[in-house]
Amino acid sequence: MKGILIFIARILVSFTFLYSGFVKLVDPLGSSYKFEEYFGAAVLNLEFLIPFALPFSILLILVEIMLGVTLLIGYKPKTTLWSLFGINLLFLFLTWYSAYYNKVTDCGCFGDALKLSPWDTFYKNVVLMALLLPLIFNKTFITSLLSDKIMRNLSLLCFGVFVFITYYVLVHLPIVDFRAYAIGKNIQQGMEYEDGSDELPPVHDFFLESETEDLTEMILNADKAILIISYDIENSSLERFSALKELADEAISKGYIVYGVSASSSEATMGVQKEFDLPFEFLFCDGITLKTIVRANPGIVILEKGTVVGKWNGSDATAVFEE
């Protein structure tokens, strides 16, 4: 009976870490934005760590998902369990701190796939700790039918696959999109409140403004619109705007309306517009919203009557109109 209970606890912990790691693995930039929030002055006041948010998030994601793998297959159980204990202890404190002082409304522990309140996240970590402790004190029950060599090679293979996925989604876009601006989602519908609910709808901070007017409705009602999004244009991959100019020229010839969108100053956007002779003007939108819409700087979004029909990293500009 004891062995069955330990096995159940092992499966629950391993699948929790595998799921948590996977939903962040396919969107490491989202995790880095969350760490930037944690490192900021409003939470931990460790702003000197903000430039390292992306490598830190990648490292933590790989460690998290690999520990889920090694616990599941029973490879190096002592190292695995104590590593899981250390990570969970760290986040037990962080989630308690966040919940008690109301610092962060969503910990990001399951990426954008599953939103938990700060206290729900803390209680989740308490349950994980309650499952981990019996595993640590009964690690002799954690066995495998595979040899050490096979488990080592399997772990290395998984690690290689996870590293490749990380590289791919950073160069292109997340392979799974859990956000309200995913392909197929309609932005206007995302703005609607559910009947009888006071909760903010999934899309509650989307607007597109020029210096003189609000163009949100016009763009969302357009038959075909392309948005070139760069939340921080001064720190974007500027070399990609040459290809984006060619894309915009072709799009305009095909009947699309084209706008740039940024949270940067008008001086910065006008400078880029002039440098690359871009055939479109830049509109303003909140930076957090733009980071949510597309995980690229710059990125490309195609809308048809407010429905997202295509998204690309700026590095893939030449692929937008490929047959």
Side-chain angles (χ1 to χ4, degrees):
M1 185 66 178
K2 183 178 182 180
I4 294 175
L5 293 176
I6 294 300
F7 179 77
I8 293 173
R10 172 184 171 184
I11 294 298
L12 289 174
V13 173
S14 62
F15 273 86
T16 299
F17 275 83
L18 283 170
Y19 177 73
S20 176
F22 175 77
V23 297
K24 295 195 287 286
L25 182 76
V26 298
D27 184 16
L29 276 176
S31 294
S32 73
Y33 298 152
K34 182 57 63 175
F35 277 117
E36 288 176 4
E37 186 178 355
Y38 270 111
F39 293 150
V43 185
L44 297 176
N45 196 24
L46 299 172
E47 293 183 318
F48 68 94
L49 291 176
I50 290 178
F52 306 102
L54 180 57
F56 183 78
S57 67
I58 292 172
L59 175 63
L60 190 62
I61 291 167
L62 290 174
V63 169
E64 182 177 24
I65 196 168
M66 282 305 303
L67 288 174
V69 169
T70 55
L71 179 61
L72 183 64
I73 65 176
Y75 184 54
K76 294 189 178 298
K78 182 177 180 180
T79 302
T80 296
L81 288 170
W82 281 111
S83 298
L84 287 169
F85 177 82
I87 289 176
N88 200 59
L89 189 64
L90 171 64
F91 280 97
L92 191 65
F93 165 75
L94 287 177
T95 52
W96 169 83
Y97 180 83
S98 174
Y100 187 81
Y101 292 101
N102 196 28
K103 293 290 186 178
V104 178
T105 57
D106 171 35
C107 76
C109 57
F110 292 115
D112 290 293
L114 179 63
K115 300 290 187 179
L116 296 177
S117 72
W119 281 115
D120 286 342
T121 305
F122 171 73
Y123 294 136
K124 181 267 294 181
N125 288 329
V126 170
V127 172
L128 276 177
M129 190 64 77
L131 292 171
L132 272 170
L133 289 175
L135 291 175
I136 290 173
F137 292 111
N138 296 276
K139 58 181 176 292
T140 54
F141 284 90
I142 299 178
T143 58
S144 176
L145 297 176
L146 306 174
S147 67
D148 283 349
K149 182 179 180 180
I150 292 176
M151 287 191 292
R152 181 177 65 252
N153 291 337
L154 182 59
S155 298
L156 289 173
L157 176 62
C158 289
F159 181 75
V161 171
F162 297 150
V163 169
F164 173 77
I165 292 174
T166 303
Y167 169 79
Y168 180 89
V169 299
L170 288 175
V171 172
H172 302 287
L173 287 180
I175 56 178
V176 183
D177 192 345
F178 299 102
R179 287 157 286 145
Y181 302 93
I183 293 174
K185 296 290 184 70
N186 183 274
I187 295 176
Q188 294 102 315
Q189 292 177 2
M191 293 178 176
E192 297 174 357
Y193 282 84
E194 292 186 10
D195 292 339
S197 174
D198 294 328
E199 291 186 8
L200 288 173
V203 179
H204 56 270
D205 47 11
F206 180 87
F207 59 89
L208 301 169
E209 296 177 345
S210 70
E211 291 188 345
T212 58
E213 59 184 327
D214 187 334
L215 299 177
T216 307
E217 288 300 318
M218 184 274 287
I219 292 173
L220 290 182
N221 289 320
D223 291 331
K224 298 188 297 184
I226 289 185
L227 302 179
I228 309 296
I229 295 176
S230 179
Y231 69 87
D232 182 357
I233 204 163
E234 292 170 301
N235 290 310
S236 66
S237 301
L238 291 175
E239 70 278 0
R240 294 175 181 168
F241 278 94
S242 295
L244 291 172
K245 171 184 163 35
E246 295 180 8
L247 168 67
D249 287 334
E250 184 177 357
I252 292 170
S253 71
K254 292 177 180 288
Y256 287 82
I257 61 170
V258 182
Y259 285 95
V261 191
S262 181
S264 299
S265 66
S266 58
E267 290 80 7
T269 56
M270 289 177 65
V272 171
Q273 185 179 8
K274 182 177 180 180
E275 179 181 352
F276 292 94
D277 191 26
L278 300 176
F280 54 83
E281 68 172 302
F282 276 89
L283 305 178
F284 178 80
C285 185
D286 177 70
I288 294 176
T289 300
L290 297 181
K291 289 179 179 180
T292 305
I293 294 172
V294 60
R295 299 291 203 224
N297 188 30
I300 305 157
V301 177
I302 294 183
L303 302 175
E304 293 182 0
K305 294 289 187 180
T307 297
V308 180
V309 298
K311 296 167 72 171
W312 292 265
N313 193 301
S315 62
D316 295 318
T318 57
V320 173
F321 288 124
E322 285 184 351
E323 295 295 332

